[in-house]
Amino acid sequence: MLEDFKKFALRGNVVDLAVGVIIGAAFGAIVNSLVGDIIMPIVGAITGGLDFSNYFTALSSKVNATALADAKKQGAVLAWGNFLTIVINFLIIAFVLFLAIRGLAQLQKTEAAKQAGRAAKAVARGGVAH
């Protein structure tokens, strides 16, 4: 059983997945900083200094705090400002991944076209394409 696990754990796909998870976590931290430290302050400045991270709706009459962290301690709140920030994070990550996948697809098309061109030249010369 240990030998089977070793084969599984050292298989290329598992290692690639582990690297992807680690890079994804680091990328997520970068996007969180981009949204929290750059985008949301700009949005706040445009909207008159609004800080979306502290926007909430109290679901309990006991909540009278103005900061989200304090309001959560007092009772149930609907933290829609925090949710909005997370949605923006998601949209940025999805857009960056879209651009990366699109770029990779373009590279693959270019490489396939180069290989087809080399094969056509080799056939035209009477050789074998490699």
Side-chain angles (χ1 to χ4, degrees), residues 21 29 48 75 81 90 93 96 106 114 118 122 125 129:
V21 167
F90 169 77
I93 291 172
V96 169
Q106 289 293 336
K114 285 180 185 178
R118 285 191 292 256
R125 287 183 290 208

Side-chain angles (χ1 to χ4, degrees), residues 23-49:
I23 290 174
F27 183 68
I30 290 169
V31 170
N32 284 337
S33 177
L34 174 69
V35 171
D37 300 332
I38 296 174
I39 293 176
M40 292 312 280
I42 292 171
V43 170
I46 291 170
T47 59

Side-chain angles (χ1 to χ4, degrees), residues 10 22 24 26 30 54 73 82 85 96 105 111 120 127 129:
L10 297 177
I22 292 167
I30 290 169
N54 274 317
K73 291 175 187 174
N82 190 42
T85 302
V96 169
E111 186 59 32

Side-chain angles (χ1 to χ4, degrees), residues 67-85:
L68 178 61
D70 295 333
K72 283 183 175 182
K73 291 175 187 174
Q74 294 176 348
V77 295
L78 188 66
W80 61 270
N82 190 42
F83 177 75
L84 179 64
T85 302

Side-chain angles (χ1 to χ4, degrees), residues 37-70:
D37 300 332
I38 296 174
I39 293 176
M40 292 312 280
I42 292 171
V43 170
I46 291 170
T47 59
L50 301 177
D51 179 12
F52 288 102
S53 63
N54 274 317
Y55 275 31
F56 64 91
T57 301
L59 299 177
S60 169
S61 60
K62 298 176 185 176
V63 177
N64 56 13
T66 57
L68 178 61
D70 295 333

Side-chain angles (χ1 to χ4, degrees), residues 2-16 18:
L2 184 60
E3 190 64 31
D4 289 338
F5 177 73
K6 198 191 243 182
K7 286 179 187 176
F8 169 77
L10 297 177
R11 201 179 300 165
N13 293 344
V14 174
V15 174
D16 291 345

